Amino acid sequence: MTRPLTAAQRRLIEAADPGTGRLKGTEAQLTALVKRGLAFRHPRPPHDHFLTPAGHRAREAGGEPPQKEPENPSPADPGGPGGVFAARVGGETVPRAQGEAARLREVRSAWQGMLELRRMTNPDASTDRPCAWERTHLVQAAALALEASGHRPAGPEGEGGDGYRVRDTPQPDAVAVYAPGPDALRACAETLEGAGWQAGEYTEPRTRRRYVLASPRRV
């Protein structure tokens, strides 16, 4: 059984910043939450601690820990499959057990974490353009920007409905974004531009399918 939280741990979780999940407490208290999978320590100075998605769920549950705690959450990869959060690139199967409210909370937390990563890793502390991590994880970074802005990712082929799909391209610094219709495609381009990407609409020569080609802005 999952052991209950102490009164001090519940107070820390309840007092976390509602937007970013940033925690304040003693080193011992924060380390204990990390060991339980409810918090992570940011890998870069000032090494602040933040709630993981499990920590957010515990706060929503009134301080009760989740039924199953994740093992060794990794904060260094906020948009990749090895981290505590995986951005939806479109086309993947989504577990039905996860509620929409929980997903929205995780997306919001991941995007806030990405902005913080930009602030700490861009030379001028700018948050209005992608950082080095995003440039090496283009598909995940673009998908996170889209999902955080409310765009709906496409479901698996054959299940009906559609949304955005982010895919690799032969270009080393660009991704292709597909969407169902010109309005949705234009909205994706505008979102990426607002998130610090260069985006333009193009047509595939053979299929005549329209898509957005996007790359991280450098200045």
Side-chain angles (χ1 to χ4, degrees):
M1 293 179 63
T2 302
R3 64 187 184 279
L5 298 176
T6 66
Q9 289 173 336
R10 286 197 298 271
R11 287 195 296 269
L12 255 65
I13 290 175
E14 291 169 359
D17 183 275
T20 65
R22 189 192 300 267
L23 291 157
K24 292 183 180 180
T26 67
E27 191 66 27
Q29 290 172 329
L30 296 171
T31 299
L33 290 180
V34 171
K35 288 181 178 179
R36 300 196 62 171
L38 302 176
F40 68 84
R41 183 174 183 266
H42 200 285
R44 295 183 179 276
H47 300 299
D48 288 327
H49 288 73
F50 297 84
L51 290 176
T52 64
H56 281 288
R57 290 194 293 271
R59 182 169 61 177
E60 291 293 325
E64 293 300 320
Q67 292 299 311
K68 183 178 181 181
E69 297 173 10
E71 297 180 359
N72 302 320
S74 170
D77 194 359
V84 299
F85 173 88
R88 292 179 181 164
V89 303
E92 61 266 75
T93 300
V94 178
R96 297 186 181 278
Q98 184 180 40
E100 183 177 352
R103 179 64 185 181
L104 290 174
R105 184 167 57 249
E106 291 186 2
V107 171
R108 179 186 63 186
S109 180
W111 180 246
Q112 291 298 324
M114 183 64 73
L115 294 179
E116 183 69 6
L117 193 61
R118 288 182 178 186
R119 184 185 70 80
M120 291 191 295
T121 59
N122 280 333
D124 59 354
S126 173
T127 61
D128 64 358
R129 70 175 186 276
C131 61
W133 184 92
E134 292 169 276
R135 299 179 193 284
T136 57
H137 299 77
L138 294 170
V139 171
Q140 296 93 332
L144 175 58
L146 291 171
E147 191 176 359
S149 293
H151 295 276
R152 184 171 57 86
E157 295 288 349
E159 289 195 2
D162 206 355
Y164 69 78
R165 298 173 188 270
V166 185
R167 298 294 183 262
D168 282 315
T169 72
Q171 300 185 34
D173 62 346
V175 296
V177 179
Y178 300 89
D183 292 341
L185 194 64
R186 190 174 304 111
C188 287
E190 292 174 353
T191 290
L192 289 171
E193 288 174 350
W197 294 63
Q198 294 176 319
E201 292 187 38
Y202 296 87
T203 301
E204 292 180 344
R206 297 180 62 182
T207 65
R208 310 306 300 171
R209 186 181 184 186
R210 295 285 289 175
Y211 68 99
V212 167
L213 186 69
S215 59
R217 183 167 55 82
R218 294 188 178 277
V219 293

